Amino acid sequence: ESKLRRGAPCTTHAYKLSRAAARYYNPKMSSLGDIVFNTGNAFDDDEKTAPSSVVHIRNQQRNGRKSLTTISGLQDDLDLKKILKYIRKMYSTNGTVKKDPEHGDIIQVQGDLRKEIAQFFVEYKVCGKEEIKLHGF
């Protein structure tokens, strides 16, 4: 009997990607558990110290229900494009890195993701929880 009859699963092409999909497939992106953005240990001191920098996460309203989440005040040694790449992947949104003369580099993400981005920064050790200032809550 033929394996390709109607209703029988095709085992030869079950996990193959098309040429277009294979071009963009990155097996390293499938596991996000091994990402480390900031290797410094924030818990070295026993004393409570003031945060070295404050990360501001704001929501900027556009027209109707549309909004932007802006992130400013991140440290200069962080790779903002790499951070944005993982935020876009995890939260299924789009974003960009803008340069502002007053605030420095700013990450803009589509949608209201203030709580999610704050949780992302703490979980992946981009910055500490005491360094994050959420605006609009």
Side-chain angles (χ1 to χ4, degrees):
E1 287 186 34
S2 173
K3 289 183 181 180
L4 299 178
R5 66 189 162 129
R6 181 173 272 186
C10 178
T11 58
T12 57
H13 300 289
Y15 296 105
K16 289 189 178 179
L17 297 172
S18 67
R19 285 185 189 172
R23 188 177 320 145
Y24 300 109
Y25 177 71
N26 185 355
K28 292 181 183 177
M29 286 292 292
S30 62
S31 65
L32 296 174
D34 56 351
I35 305 169
V36 176
F37 292 110
N38 194 358
T39 58
N41 189 0
F43 302 106
D44 282 341
D45 291 358
D46 290 337
E47 303 174 12
K48 292 282 184 185
T49 58
S52 60
S53 66
V54 179
V55 178
H56 296 277
I57 303 177
R58 295 180 176 91
N59 187 33
Q60 188 176 16
Q61 194 67 33
R62 287 180 48 216
N63 49 358
R65 293 175 51 196
K66 311 282 186 186
S67 64
L68 289 174
T69 301
T70 59
I71 304 148
S72 62
L74 287 169
Q75 296 176 357
D76 294 333
D77 61 340
L78 293 174
D79 188 2
L80 299 183
K81 289 188 177 186
K82 187 175 182 181
I83 292 172
L84 177 63
K85 179 172 131 180
Y86 285 102
I87 288 173
R88 286 169 36 189
K89 191 83 166 173
M90 287 181 72
Y91 299 111
S92 302
T93 186
N94 200 2
T96 186
V97 177
K98 298 276 188 174
K99 293 189 185 298
D100 187 51
E102 184 179 339
H103 299 291
D105 290 338
I106 295 176
I107 296 177
Q108 284 186 346
V109 181
Q110 290 180 356
D112 187 5
L113 298 172
R114 289 175 286 185
K115 289 181 182 177
E116 291 88 349
I117 289 175
Q119 181 182 0
F120 174 86
F121 284 168
V122 172
E123 184 178 339
Y124 291 105
K125 300 177 183 164
V126 176
C127 58
K129 190 172 186 176
E130 65 278 351
E131 298 176 24
I132 297 174
K133 173 69 175 148
L134 283 175
H135 294 273
F137 281 113

